Amino acid sequence: MRARLLDAPAWRSTVVSVVTFFAVVVLWGVLVRDESWAEVLVRAVVVGLVAGAVVAFAHRQRRADDPDDRSPRAVGRRVRRAASRGPVPEDPDEREAAHDIALDHLRVFEGQRYWAPATFVVTAVLAAGVALTGPAWVWVTVPVWLAAAAGHPWLRNRMRARAELLAPGAPPAH
């Protein structure tokens, strides 16, 4: 399904985003905020049109990746993607640049090694306290914060493995 949405024509992506934003704004306004239908529908139309414009612009900016394209923009896109996922570049310069980016990302994760997961857990506890004394919908945020706390070490390990894969002395991956 993801490939179908990514490869969809611009009009289809725009319609899906407009309808999705429209529905979310209407449901949020009517069910959560208890607003009048007229007010909610006007806001939903405006938000839906803005979301559609953003998606149409983003779709227009997206370009098909051509491995033979040597323009700086195409090379930069390939290098940034290779730093986190996808095939290892065959071009040694692109591989070295992707390795450098992966190491930069790894340094950031290493710097956050202790305080970021702890901050996410504290935020989850605070959100649970708010949910106990206030609106019940805040419970929805608690698993999100806990997932962020668990995901940070996972992302750090993933970035470490990617940097090792892109290292100059590493065997080529196929």
Side-chain angles (χ1 to χ4, degrees):
M1 173 151 170
R2 181 173 185 259
R4 248 190 325 201
L5 288 175
L6 288 175
D7 296 334
W11 69 267
R12 189 177 301 155
S13 299
T14 303
V15 167
V16 167
S17 66
V18 168
V19 169
T20 302
F21 275 91
F22 183 86
V24 168
V25 169
V26 168
L27 291 174
W28 183 265
V30 171
L31 298 177
V32 176
R33 296 181 55 137
D34 197 29
E35 296 174 339
S36 71
W37 278 95
E39 183 181 358
V40 168
L41 289 177
V42 169
R43 185 180 313 114
V45 167
V46 171
V47 170
L49 291 176
V50 169
V54 168
V55 168
F57 178 76
H59 199 282
R60 192 169 159 225
Q61 296 298 319
R62 193 178 84 197
R63 307 238 192 291
D65 282 342
D66 180 11
D68 297 329
D69 188 358
R70 303 306 304 168
S71 69
R73 174 178 272 173
V75 171
R77 242 189 340 262
R78 284 195 303 269
V79 165
R80 285 189 305 276
R81 183 180 312 110
S84 60
R85 67 188 190 292
V88 174
E90 293 180 19
D91 181 5
D93 293 334
E94 287 184 20
R95 183 175 181 155
E96 182 181 357
H99 180 251
D100 290 343
I101 291 173
L103 287 177
D104 286 342
H105 290 301
L106 182 59
R107 281 187 208 100
V108 170
F109 278 114
E110 288 294 340
Q112 301 169 348
R113 168 182 226 131
Y114 300 110
W115 66 264
T119 301
F120 293 138
V121 169
V122 167
T123 306
V125 169
L126 291 173
V130 168
L132 287 172
T133 61
W137 67 265
V138 179
W139 280 112
V140 172
T141 65
V142 173
V144 173
W145 292 115
L146 293 175
H152 191 275
W154 178 80
L155 282 173
R156 190 178 67 242
N157 290 335
R158 185 173 174 271
M159 192 52 60
R160 183 178 297 115
R162 189 66 185 182
E164 290 172 3
L165 181 67
L166 292 167
H174 294 286

